Amino acid sequence: MRDSKEMVILAIETSCDETGIAVLAAHDERIEVLASELASQVDIHRLTGGVVPEAAAREHVAVIKPLLDSVLAQAASLDEVTHIAVTVGPGLQPALAVGVQAARILSYRWQIPLVPVHHIEGHIYSALLNTESGIKNQESSSFIIPTSNVFPVLALIVSGGHTLLVHLRDHVQYEVVGTTRDDAAGEAFDKVARLLGLPYPGGPVISELARQGKQDAYAFPRPMLDSGDFDFSFSGLKTAVLYTWRDIPAEHKQVAAADVAASFEQAVVDTLVHKTCAAAVYLKPTRVLLAGGVAANFSLRRQLAEALALRNLPLHIAPTALCGDNAIMIGLAGAMAAVAGRHAPWLAIDAHARLDLARWAT
Ligand code: KG4
Ligand code: ZN
């Protein structure tokens, strides 16, 4: 028998190339993952060197029902689900629409309230609810809800689609203080990998290759370091890598690749660390969060933690298993949004490829 104060959240994520379904139980102070399934489409998108939106949507359609059946069989019947949390944006429109449509059907048929979730909220909460600071990987099945004393909080969200510095004054209140003017950090990793002839997604392969290279072999630019704001730009760095790589003679390319990867990775890490520290000095948060696919990067985790430690600021990183897209993070953000009173009837929600986090309030 479930306790009557418990919320049982069915979470759905289909914004890009991962189909995620999870069931979470939320209590006053903690949230537990009861079941979670994740189907990655990486093998499909590797063939095209990136994500083709229609191919992603087709794959979500193919796997969403079996994944849903599986988590419900493990965790709860639909009668027990009190809320459905679903990513409504931002992301690839055809991909988002699959999850949103599934959520609408379930909500209509079983009369379950819907909680629309902004994808970035999910990334933020995957780190905010990780109570332990430091670079050690944490468990990803049980989370403690921090009290309002932890605010203000600064979050660095780095993924394939986003590079954002977000300031939170309270739960589910977001102010974007920095963003990328062009490529996202993960996108830069993916493009540089493609340039070096490495497979998609580029982040993990570049960081693996970088371990064997010298970080100061090439003096790549640290874009916008002194721009006076907290914005980022990575396309100039990518172009610098392109020209350097083009000028390396073919017979030296194999040897040079590790140095190029290491120098490029260090330029990205330096830029992210510099801007995050500058924003932290300005905003004086009690802690800094790191999440998103690029948060799996070990050099970034370590160097950001070290730089913040010099300023006596703890860094809370999303568990590695939750750095990439998943439904657990959508369930965590959905639970917090539901507590704050956010819900919508099934007819009122839709997928939005572009969705502004700043104007996303409860
Ligand atoms: O959060 P995520 O799974 O999807 C988006 O919302 O975009 O992030 C995927 C991105 C990809 O660009 C991938 O190359 C990058 O995260 N990534 C990494 C690492 N692992 C994944 N980038 C750098 N180092 C890594 N270890
Ligand atoms: Zn993401």
Side-chain angles (χ1 to χ4, degrees):
M1 190 61 190
R2 297 196 176 279
D3 111 41
S4 59
K5 276 164 66 194
E6 185 184 63
M7 288 194 293
V8 178
I9 294 143
L10 172 66
I12 302 175
E13 155 66 38
T14 64
S15 68
C16 188
D17 58 349
E18 315 276 349
T19 320
I21 310 279
V23 176
L24 296 84
H27 309 262
D28 284 347
E29 285 154 13
R30 69 197 154 82
I31 302 178
E32 262 152 55
V33 179
L34 303 182
S36 170
E37 293 279 1
L38 191 62
S40 172
Q41 306 175 359
V42 153
D43 291 342
I44 293 164
H45 301 306
R46 195 170 283 136
L47 303 173
T48 44
V51 182
V52 176
E54 285 69 23
R58 225 175 11 248
E59 204 50 30
H60 289 309
V61 169
V63 303
I64 196 164
K65 173 76 167 55
L67 295 190
L68 190 59
D69 290 344
S70 170
V71 291
L72 290 173
Q74 292 168 59
S77 70
L78 276 168
D79 297 336
E80 292 172 304
V81 172
T82 61
H83 298 79
I84 299 172
V86 60
T87 310
V88 293
L92 306 171
Q93 184 72 25
L96 284 163
V98 177
V100 168
Q101 207 49 33
R104 283 164 56 120
I105 292 166
L106 292 169
S107 169
Y108 170 75
R109 170 66 183 78
W110 272 271
Q111 300 291 302
I112 307 168
L114 284 172
V115 183
V117 175
H118 189 291
H119 181 76
I120 297 300
E121 289 185 284
H123 282 303
I124 290 172
Y125 271 96
S126 66
L128 182 54
L129 268 51
N130 183 359
T131 44
E132 302 217 19
S133 63
I135 59 171
K136 208 170 82 232
N137 185 30
Q138 307 293 340
E139 235 218 292
S140 53
S141 58
S142 184
F143 299 85
I144 309 288
I145 300 172
T147 64
S148 284
N149 297 344
V150 298
F151 297 103
V153 162
L154 175 68
L156 172 64
I157 308 301
V158 267
S159 72
H162 307 272
T163 306
L164 289 174
L165 277 166
V166 184
H167 182 222
L168 284 89
R169 284 204 180 82
D170 205 341
H171 280 300
V172 296
Q173 302 293 324
Y174 313 99
E175 182 193 359
V176 176
V177 292
T179 186
T180 180
R181 302 256 175 107
D182 39 58
D183 293 351
E187 193 179 354
F189 271 95
D190 295 337
K191 287 180 177 172
V192 165
R194 197 201 290 223
L195 195 73
L196 301 187
L198 299 168
Y200 172 86
V205 274
I206 290 273
S207 60
E208 191 54 38
L209 186 60
R211 285 160 172 263
Q212 301 147 38
K214 288 195 288 298
Q215 292 157 353
D216 55 358
Y218 298 94
F220 291 135
R222 272 69 174 149
M224 293 184 58
L225 234 47
D226 300 312
S227 60
D229 55 26
F230 307 126
D231 282 348
F232 304 90
S233 161
F234 291 106
S235 87
L237 169 60
K238 176 197 65 193
T239 309
V241 176
L242 170 75
Y243 290 146
T244 300
W245 185 246
R246 200 189 52 187
D247 293 345
I248 296 172
E251 65 273 25
H252 295 156
K253 276 192 161 54
Q254 205 182 341
V255 177
D259 283 345
V260 171
S263 303
F264 160 74
E265 181 183 69
Q266 191 54 43
V268 175
V269 170
D270 276 348
T271 309
L272 293 172
V273 170
H274 179 96
K275 290 277 170 149
T276 307
C277 288
V281 167
Y282 181 70
L283 294 163
K284 302 185 178 51
T286 69
R287 59 176 67 177
V288 175
L289 314 178
L290 173 63
V294 184
N297 186 286
F298 187 72
S299 297
L300 174 61
R301 297 162 87 93
R302 185 172 49 76
Q303 293 183 47
L304 185 57
E306 284 169 3
L308 293 169
L310 293 175
R311 295 161 176 87
N312 291 320
L313 270 174
L315 176 67
H316 292 249
I317 310 178
T320 313
L322 303 189
C323 283
D325 294 345
N326 63 86
I328 293 174
M329 69 182 196
I330 302 304
L332 296 174
M336 300 309 299
V339 168
R342 188 192 306 163
H343 55 82
W346 69 272
L347 258 175
I349 71 154
D350 220 335
H352 300 280
R354 292 176 169 275
L355 201 57
D356 190 351
L357 183 66
R359 273 187 272 135
W360 183 259
T362 296

